[in-house]
Amino acid sequence: MVRKHLPKPSSIPEPTLVRLTIYARSLRDALGDGQTVISSDDLAMRAGVNAAKVRKDLSHMGSFGRRGVGYDAALLLETIVQAMGQTKERSYVIVGAGKLGSALLGYNGFHGKGFMAVGAFDTDPSKIGRSIGGITVMPVDELERFVMAEGVDIGIVTVPAPAAQKITDTLVRGGVKAILNFAPTVVVVPGCILCRHVELSSELEVLAHYLNSQGD
Amino acid sequence: MVRKHLPKPSSIPEPTLVRLTIYARSLRDALGDGQTVISSDDLAMRAGVNAAKVRKDLSHMGSFGRRGVGYDAALLLETIVQAMGQTKERSYVIVGAGKLGSALLGYNGFHGKGFMAVGAFDTDPSKIGRSIGGITVMPVDELERFVMAEGVDIGIVTVPAPAAQKITDTLVRGGVKAILNFAPTVVVVPGCILCRHVELSSELEVLAHYLNSQGD
DNA sequence: TGTTGTGAAATTGTTCACAGCC
DNA sequence: GGCTGTGAACAATTTCACAACA
C-alpha cells in the first residue's frame, strides 16, 4: 500500500530552509509596512524569488494560506520561526576576536532572534579583557572549560586557517553540538556534530568567473 | 581518445565553481606540503567531498589527469585558476566601513588572488579619512564619481539593510559590473549586472534548525 | 595494480499548470 | 476574478560503476 508519510522532523530541503529565513525577514518588513495579509506573489517579490517556489517552500510546513486571499503575515511568520526551530534559545561562542569575529558579535540576526552570544575568545593578549558588543574577550586556554561549564550550543570559528582544526577540536571536546566555520579551510568533526562552512572568498571568485565568461 | 571540444565560457555548473575554489586552496596546501602529484581521492579528502565529485568537477575543464597516477598538482591548480577567470585582475570597492567591511578589507583571499581593493566608503564622519588595511575611507558622496573615474569592476556592499538598495543603485550608476551584497536584504539590479547575496544570518538559523530536528 | 574519465542511474530541486477554494 | 496547494514534468546535480589506460 502506498502511504504518504508525514514529514519527518527535518524533511525540509536545505535550499528551502535558507529561503525560509529570507521569507521571515520579508514578513517582518511587510508587517512593519502595516501589511497583515500577503500573497505568494508579493512575498516572492520581496524575497527575490518566484511565486511558485514560495508556495512550494511554504507547503513543506502545511497549508494555511487562504485561496483567493493570501497568507496571514503574522501567522506565516510564526509558523516559519517555529519550523526553523527558533523557539528554543541557543547560546554560542565566537573564537577569534579579530575583525570578522567582532563583526559577527555585533551582527543583528546573530545577536537577536533566539541566539545569544555568551563568550568570545582569542589568543592575542592585547585583545583579551576587551569588551566587544558587551562580551568580554577571554583567553583560548579557557575555551574548553567555559564551553563545558556553560553548556554552550554552538561554536563559531573565525580564527586563521591554520588554527581552525585545533579550535574546532577544542569546541567539540567542550561539548558544543554544532560548529559554524568561517575559516578558509575545511575542518573535520565527529559525525554527531553539525558543521557548516561559510566560504567568503568563494563568493568573489565565482563572481569574477561570471564576469570573465560574460566577456568581461 | 579524440580530443573533445573545449567547454564554452561558462558551462560549468555553479556548485562546481564553488568547489573549484576549494580545490584550488587544497592544491596550494598540497604543494606547500611538497606534494607534486595528487589523486582525486586525496584531493577529495582535503576538500571535504567525495572523489567521484572531484573527478566530475575537474572533467568540466578537460582531461589532464593520468590514469593510475593522479593529477599534476601545479598544472591542476593553474588550470583551475584559469577556468575561474583569475587571470585578469579585478578591482573592487567596499561600501560600509563597519566591522564587516573592515574584516573583508583585511581578508586574505579577497585581498590577494587577483582582487584589488581600491576604495572604501562610509557616511560616518568619524570613519572618513581613517585608513583600514592600507585603504583610506572616503565619503559615500564621492562613491559614484570614484567608481566611474577608476573603472571599478565590483562593488561590495556591507551597509545596514535600509541603505543597501540606494548604495547598490549608486554603484550601478557608477558602472560596476558586479555587486556582492552582504546586507541582510534583497537588492534589485538591472539584468546586465551580476549580483550575489551572502546571507550570514541564515547560516546560524539553518544550523539551529538541524539541531532542533536532531532532538536538540 | 591504481586511478582517471564518463555514460547511465539515482536523487534532488525547480517550474509548470491547473483543480479547488475564496 | 484571484490565489493557494500540489501532482506531474522538467532540470540540475550527485553518485554509481566500470571501461580505458599508464
Side-chain angles (χ1 to χ4, degrees):
Chain A
M1 178 220 327
V2 182
R3 169 164 144 250
K4 211 178 131 177
H5 47 64
L6 290 172
K8 285 170 301 177
S10 187
S11 55
I12 304 180
E14 189 175 311
T16 294
L17 289 174
V18 172
R19 287 191 297 267
L20 285 178
T21 70
I22 297 175
Y23 301 155
R25 197 173 56 214
S26 304
L27 285 166
R28 288 192 191 94
D29 290 348
L31 286 165
D33 294 350
Q35 211 176 331
T36 58
V37 170
I38 195 165
S39 67
S40 58
D41 235 326
D42 187 353
L43 186 51
M45 210 105 71
R46 287 179 183 268
V49 301
N50 67 56
K53 204 179 276 178
V54 168
R55 293 200 298 277
K56 191 62 124 188
D57 284 343
L58 299 185
S59 77
H60 285 104
M61 305 178 302
S63 335
F64 40 83
R66 285 214 300 246
R67 295 175 198 229
V69 181
Y71 302 86
D72 178 304
L75 173 62
L76 181 51
L77 174 55
E78 198 191 333
T79 306
I80 293 175
V81 169
Q82 197 89 266
M84 288 305 298
Q86 286 170 42
T87 47
K88 180 164 185 178
E89 175 114 322
R90 296 291 181 181
S91 60
Y92 65 89
V93 291
I94 289 188
V95 190
K99 293 272 177 57
L100 183 57
S102 305
L104 297 180
L105 271 172
Y107 199 62
N108 255 337
F110 266 52
H111 206 67
K113 308 211 199 92
F115 298 99
M116 188 173 39
V118 295
F121 295 83
D122 209 297
T123 47
D124 180 351
S126 77
K127 288 196 184 108
I128 292 163
R130 275 211 265 172
S131 173
I132 300 173
I135 301 289
T136 301
V137 179
M138 292 172 270
V140 163
D141 302 336
E142 292 174 20
L143 177 59
E144 182 175 344
R145 190 169 42 227
F146 182 92
V147 166
M148 197 171 287
E150 303 288 325
V152 176
D153 294 305
I154 300 169
I156 300 182
V157 178
T158 58
V159 300
Q165 185 63 59
K166 216 167 71 176
I167 291 298
T168 300
D169 295 343
T170 305
L171 285 164
V172 170
R173 277 199 310 277
V176 299
K177 301 171 199 117
I179 300 276
L180 184 52
N181 176 36
F182 286 86
T185 186
V186 170
V187 298
V188 300
V189 294
C192 56
I193 306 289
L194 290 170
C195 183
R196 287 179 75 82
H197 184 193
V198 180
E199 278 288 348
L200 291 180
S201 66
S202 295
E203 298 294 335
L204 202 52
E205 295 180 36
V206 171
L207 210 48
H209 168 83
Y210 284 125
L211 273 179
N212 278 53
S213 67
Q214 264 190 4
D216 294 21
Chain B
M1 174 220 269
V2 183
R3 189 103 195 106
K4 289 182 64 172
H5 57 30
L6 291 172
K8 285 171 303 173
S10 187
S11 55
I12 304 179
E14 191 173 310
T16 295
L17 289 175
V18 172
R19 286 190 298 267
L20 285 179
T21 70
I22 298 173
Y23 301 155
R25 198 173 53 216
S26 304
L27 285 166
R28 287 192 190 93
D29 290 349
L31 285 165
D33 293 351
Q35 211 175 332
T36 58
V37 170
I38 194 166
S39 68
S40 58
D41 234 327
D42 186 353
L43 187 49
M45 210 104 74
R46 287 180 183 266
V49 301
N50 66 56
K53 203 179 277 177
V54 168
R55 290 200 301 275
K56 191 62 127 186
D57 285 341
L58 297 185
S59 77
H60 285 105
M61 304 179 302
S63 336
F64 39 84
R66 286 215 299 244
R67 296 177 197 226
V69 181
Y71 302 86
D72 178 304
L75 172 62
L76 181 51
L77 174 56
E78 198 192 332
T79 305
I80 293 176
V81 169
Q82 197 88 268
M84 289 304 298
Q86 285 169 43
T87 46
K88 181 165 183 175
E89 176 115 320
R90 296 291 184 180
S91 60
Y92 65 89
V93 292
I94 289 188
V95 190
K99 292 272 178 55
L100 183 57
S102 306
L104 297 181
L105 270 173
Y107 199 62
N108 255 335
F110 265 51
H111 208 66
K113 305 206 204 98
F115 298 100
M116 186 174 42
V118 294
F121 296 83
D122 208 297
T123 48
D124 181 350
S126 77
K127 288 195 187 110
I128 292 163
R130 275 211 266 171
S131 173
I132 301 174
I135 300 290
T136 302
V137 179
M138 293 172 270
V140 163
D141 302 336
E142 292 174 21
L143 177 59
E144 183 176 343
R145 191 171 37 228
F146 182 92
V147 167
M148 196 171 289
E150 302 289 324
V152 175
D153 295 305
I154 300 169
I156 300 182
V157 179
T158 57
V159 300
Q165 185 64 57
K166 215 167 72 178
I167 291 299
T168 300
D169 295 343
T170 305
L171 285 164
V172 170
R173 277 199 309 277
V176 299
K177 302 171 199 116
I179 299 276
L180 184 53
N181 175 36
F182 286 86
T185 186
V186 170
V187 298
V188 300
V189 295
C192 54
I193 306 289
L194 290 170
C195 184
R196 289 178 74 82
H197 183 193
V198 180
E199 279 288 345
L200 291 179
S201 67
S202 295
E203 299 294 334
L204 202 53
E205 296 181 34
V206 170
L207 210 49
H209 167 83
Y210 285 123
L211 273 179
N212 279 54
S213 67
Q214 265 190 0
D216 291 22

